[in-house]
Amino acid sequence: GAVVSQHPSRVICKSGTSVKIECRSLDFQATTMFWYRQFPKQSLMLMATSNEGSKATYEQGVEKDKFLINHASLTLSTLTVTSAHPEDSSFYICSARMGPRTDTQYFGPGTRLTVL
Amino acid sequence: RKEVEQDPGPFNVPEGATVAFNCTYSNSASQSFFWYRQDCRKEPKLLMSVYSSGNEDGRFTAQLNRASQYISLLIRDSKLSDSATYLCVVEHITGGGNKLTFGTGTQLKVEL
């Protein structure tokens, strides 16, 4: 099946710093990528949808100025958590899909962010 | 009301048991339905799609009832390796493309 990687897998940072997470589709071109967040014992919550070459669409309640998403190529999307705070500590998972209306999303292994 | 609701469990069952999970969804316009499996601190992995006609994959059987907006997953002959959280997932079409909505998951623990 298709492979999606995320880097880093784990990051610990101080409050106030910015953290960048990369999501790559390794063996296919992803026109659409999604960013999810999962807090302990909760469901995955969609944060934003990004289509290559256009601005990301953010879900209600997600601050676009805090969570910067860039989908500059068909194989790479980045999520930058700006001025991170302890409440941003979570499991961030990306997924990639070949087109906006195809069925299957391929998930990355996730990035565990801990903000001290 | 949550868009996708599941009993969080945990369901503790002995090896070899049959266990059933249920899920309800609120958006009647939902198009596609899935069960995902998520191991602790890992990403979710697609277990199977769910169809109205019911579908089976080895020990796993999934069923969809659109009228009741209800989805089920049956696991027969449980193995220790089935221990995980099972996520009910619903897909619907929006202006920006198809979106997945995840349930909170049902935790399964299979014991010796």
Side-chain angles (χ1 to χ4, degrees), chain A residues 13-81:
Chain A
C13 69
K14 291 181 179 179
S15 187
T17 59
S18 293
V19 176
K20 180 186 278 189
I21 303 170
E22 291 186 350
C23 176
R24 292 181 186 274
S25 57
L26 298 184
D27 52 359
F28 68 100
Q29 294 187 326
T31 57
T32 306
M33 286 184 168
F34 303 85
W35 286 96
Y36 296 85
R37 180 168 55 180
Q38 186 177 31
F39 292 107
K41 300 202 180 293
Q42 294 188 25
S43 59
L44 273 76
M45 296 298 294
L46 180 64
M47 299 175 68
T49 302
S50 74
N51 291 300
E52 185 265 340
S54 60
K55 286 185 180 180
T57 303
Y58 289 80
E59 294 299 300
Q60 195 170 11
V62 178
E63 301 172 56
K64 60 181 69 176
D65 294 331
K66 180 169 180 64
F67 298 99
L68 302 178
I69 291 172
N70 185 286
H71 191 165
S73 78
L74 285 170
T75 59
L76 173 65
S77 176
T78 59
L79 167 68
T80 301
V81 183

Side-chain angles (χ1 to χ4, degrees), chain A residues 34 36 38 41-44 46 59 91 93 97 100-101 103 105 107-109 112, chain B residues 32 36 38 41-44 87 91 93-100 102-104:
Chain A
F34 303 85
Y36 296 85
Q38 186 177 31
K41 300 202 180 293
Q42 294 188 25
S43 59
L44 273 76
L46 180 64
E59 294 299 300
F91 191 43
I93 308 175
R97 193 164 62 193
R101 299 196 186 280
D103 273 351
Q105 288 188 26
F107 286 84
R112 193 159 298 280
Chain B
S32 302
Y36 277 72
Q38 187 174 26
R41 296 177 170 265
K42 300 282 189 181
E43 78 277 21
L87 307 174
E91 182 174 41
I93 298 172
T94 69
N98 295 12
K99 282 188 184 178
L100 297 181
F102 287 77
T104 313

